[in-house]
Amino acid sequence: MDNNTGLKHTTFYAIGLSYKKADAEMRGKFSLDEKSKENLLFQAKNEGIEALILTSTCNRTEIYGFAQHPFQLIKLLCENSQGTVEDFQKVAHVYKNKEAINHLFRVGTGLDSQILGDFEIISQIKNSFVASKKLGLANAYIERLVNAVIQASKRVKNETEISSGATSVSFASVQYIMNNVEEIGSKNILLFGTGKIGRNTCENLVKHTKNDHIVLINRTKEKAEKIAGKFNLIVKEYADLQLEIQKADVLIVATGAQNPTIDAGVLNLKKPLLILDLSIPKNVNENVSSIDGVSLVHLDYLSQVTDETIEKRKLHIPAAEAIINEIITEFMSWTKARKFAPTIHSLKEKLALIKQSELNYQRKKLDNFNEEQAEIISNRIIQKITTHFANHLKDEGTMVDESIEWIEKVFRLNN
């Protein structure tokens, strides 16, 4: 599985952390905004990393790429986030070679999502690959791997029911609001920020509650106006935030800020307020809970959806895993063939030289030498010999590196 593209002793790794071991606060430390992602890619390029892609969502931050040692990738993550190596060691995972490949397939097909069957991550993986390729950080191996994961994601989505039913964090948010706020259709709802989950939550609230006075505030008003047009929201100035919070019955916070944007100091309330913090890192300070009438619900709580839909989805895990295993097997065959292809090519050239030498000898020795026939027969023999070697190298039980070394030694392919 070690890379065979010019750099010696590089191995494919998947390093990072997810909701499984890291809480929202810790995930917030390692989250990467667009600028941090860009800086990380430039640093990787400057440090001689051959190929990598990275993802950073509310549920995980991970790097998949080649390195001589995983610490090269861990260092990149820690130097471009608020996380430390000590933090990483407490909550992170490091996968190598086939384990790393398996992990990326499970992530990309929704099997490793916080809500089973959530496929939003696949678009992140696609975008990550595009960004890496622009900087020359995506080699043929990474490109083939990402395409295989995309193929698996499509097949799992189309051929199984693992994403059936309406279950996502945004759906769970709407369910929670509708279950806990009476007459929601007539209530004042304020969306602060333009994060994807927040936008989806508001879109679903518009659909399911017929509420036509949802207000959107964002630091960049142009961005707010663009989104508001899609979802029929009212846009207010950022300067009006405190006033609009006082009017609100429900506040949905979905900003991309690295530090809390809402705390007890900005709340001067005259009535009860339900706050949903749908951000990683957390954008609402826990101190708001000390104010009478305030209920604070965070993304992690909403993600703990274990209803009937999830239980039904679990039944389709074996079918999804069968698809993944099939595509991984194809990918592994490709990587193996890619590794020994140069050796088979060199072997064929060596045998062609031997053939030519022997034909030259026979041409001088035999008066009625049938050159055309000899050419056909010898070429068929060369094809059969190289096919035998290729089949041996493809075999599951073959030690590819040792076999390549043996073939090169016996036929003196490096001479």
Side-chain angles (χ1 to χ4, degrees):
M1 183 72 59
D2 286 355
N3 189 23
N4 187 21
T5 57
L7 290 180
K8 290 184 178 179
H9 311 303
T10 58
T11 300
F12 184 69
Y13 292 101
I15 68 102
L17 60 150
S18 75
Y19 68 93
K20 287 187 174 179
K21 287 174 70 177
D23 61 17
E25 184 181 354
M26 189 62 81
R27 298 200 305 277
K29 285 186 180 182
F30 285 95
S31 67
L32 301 169
D33 58 20
E34 291 308 312
K35 186 63 180 171
S36 300
K37 288 179 186 177
E38 192 179 313
N39 290 342
L40 191 154
L41 290 177
F42 276 112
Q43 186 178 336
K45 184 76 173 172
N46 291 335
E47 292 182 3
I49 297 293
E50 183 189 358
L52 65 75
I53 59 172
L54 61 97
T55 60
S56 186
T57 71
C58 56
N59 292 330
R60 70 182 68 248
T61 299
E62 294 179 326
I63 297 175
Y64 314 93
F66 286 101
Q68 293 175 321
H69 190 280
F71 186 72
Q72 290 174 277
L73 304 180
I74 296 166
K75 175 175 167 285
L76 283 171
L77 177 56
C78 293
E79 288 182 358
N80 288 282
S81 70
Q82 302 301 312
T84 65
V85 174
E86 291 74 24
D87 289 332
F88 185 90
Q89 288 172 332
K90 289 174 191 171
V91 298
H93 49 255
V94 175
Y95 299 118
K96 178 180 176 180
N97 291 336
K98 193 167 183 184
E99 275 190 352
I101 291 167
N102 288 340
H103 178 68
L104 180 54
F105 270 87
R106 291 186 72 83
V107 170
T109 54
L111 291 189
D112 201 67
S113 297
Q114 191 164 20
I115 292 181
L116 179 65
D118 185 347
F119 283 90
E120 287 189 9
I121 186 70
I122 195 65
S123 61
Q124 280 255 1
I125 292 170
K126 288 178 189 175
N127 294 339
S128 174
F129 171 74
V130 170
S132 292
K133 191 169 185 178
K134 278 181 183 174
L135 284 177
L137 279 167
N139 59 11
Y141 183 101
I142 289 272
E143 183 159 7
R144 181 85 176 213
L145 177 58
V146 169
N147 284 333
V149 172
I150 292 168
Q151 181 192 359
S153 177
K154 284 179 182 174
R155 284 191 56 191
V156 167
K157 197 170 187 179
N158 294 333
E159 297 174 28
T160 77
E161 294 180 36
I162 205 160
S163 60
S164 62
T167 298
S168 64
V169 173
S170 58
F171 181 74
S173 304
V174 173
Q175 275 190 321
Y176 186 89
I177 293 169
M178 292 177 72
N179 290 338
N180 289 275
V181 180
E182 293 181 5
E183 299 177 358
I184 187 63
S186 61
K187 299 295 185 183
N188 294 324
I189 300 172
L190 171 62
L191 170 61
F192 176 41
T194 54
K196 188 170 184 180
I197 294 172
R199 298 199 311 269
N200 290 347
T201 299
C202 271
E203 182 183 14
N204 284 318
L205 280 171
V206 170
K207 282 181 186 174
H208 297 295
T209 67
K210 309 301 180 190
N211 190 315
D212 60 359
H213 47 274
I214 299 175
V215 173
L216 170 59
I217 293 179
N218 193 58
R219 288 179 190 273
T220 310
K221 191 177 180 184
E222 292 77 16
K223 194 172 182 181
E225 287 171 338
K226 190 176 177 182
I227 290 164
K230 290 180 186 176
F231 304 144
N232 194 30
L233 309 181
I234 301 160
V235 175
K236 295 283 186 175
E237 299 284 347
Y238 177 64
D240 296 329
L241 179 63
Q242 202 161 353
L243 179 64
E244 291 299 323
I245 289 175
Q246 288 177 15
K247 296 179 187 175
D249 299 291
V250 178
L251 168 62
I252 301 167
V253 182
T255 75
Q258 293 298 302
N259 297 300
T261 52
I262 301 293
D263 62 25
V266 302
L267 301 185
N268 182 19
L269 304 180
K270 298 175 176 60
K271 60 180 177 177
L273 177 65
L274 170 62
I275 304 176
L276 271 65
D277 185 359
L278 306 182
S279 315
I280 292 289
K282 288 182 178 181
N283 281 182
V284 180
N285 195 314
E286 296 288 343
N287 64 16
V288 301
S289 298
S290 64
I291 299 174
D292 287 342
V294 171
S295 301
L296 173 62
V297 180
H298 189 257
L299 176 91
D300 275 2
Y301 174 80
L302 295 166
S303 297
Q304 294 165 7
V305 180
T306 55
D307 64 5
E308 229 176 280
T309 302
I310 292 296
E311 293 308 311
K312 284 179 182 174
R313 288 183 178 188
K314 286 179 182 176
L315 299 174
H316 302 284
I317 290 175
E321 288 176 337
I323 292 168
I324 291 167
N325 289 338
E326 181 187 329
I327 296 174
I328 286 179
T329 300
E330 290 171 6
F331 176 74
M332 299 304 289
S333 295
W334 174 81
T335 59
K336 228 176 182 183
R338 180 171 173 260
K339 195 169 192 177
F340 64 68
T343 301
I344 294 297
H345 181 71
S346 297
L347 175 61
K348 193 173 274 190
E349 286 183 340
K350 185 77 171 188
L351 293 173
L353 287 174
I354 294 170
K355 176 200 83 170
Q356 203 55 54
S357 174
E358 186 61 27
L359 291 184
N360 290 340
Y361 173 77
Q362 294 298 336
R363 193 181 295 113
K364 292 172 185 174
K365 191 174 181 182
L366 301 174
D367 293 335
N368 60 343
F369 179 61
N370 188 331
E371 190 163 342
E372 187 181 345
Q373 196 65 31
E375 187 81 28
I376 291 169
I377 292 168
S378 53
N379 283 343
R380 282 178 62 83
I381 291 170
I382 289 173
Q383 186 60 41
K384 285 181 182 294
I385 290 170
T386 52
T387 299
H388 271 289
F389 278 108
N391 288 338
H392 165 73
L393 291 167
K394 284 178 187 174
D395 190 87
E396 196 66 38
T398 298
M399 303 290 284
V400 177
D401 289 336
E402 288 83 345
S403 293
I404 287 174
E405 190 179 343
W406 179 84
I407 293 167
E408 289 175 346
K409 190 174 181 181
V410 169
F411 289 94
R412 298 182 180 179
L413 299 184
N414 295 323
N415 294 344

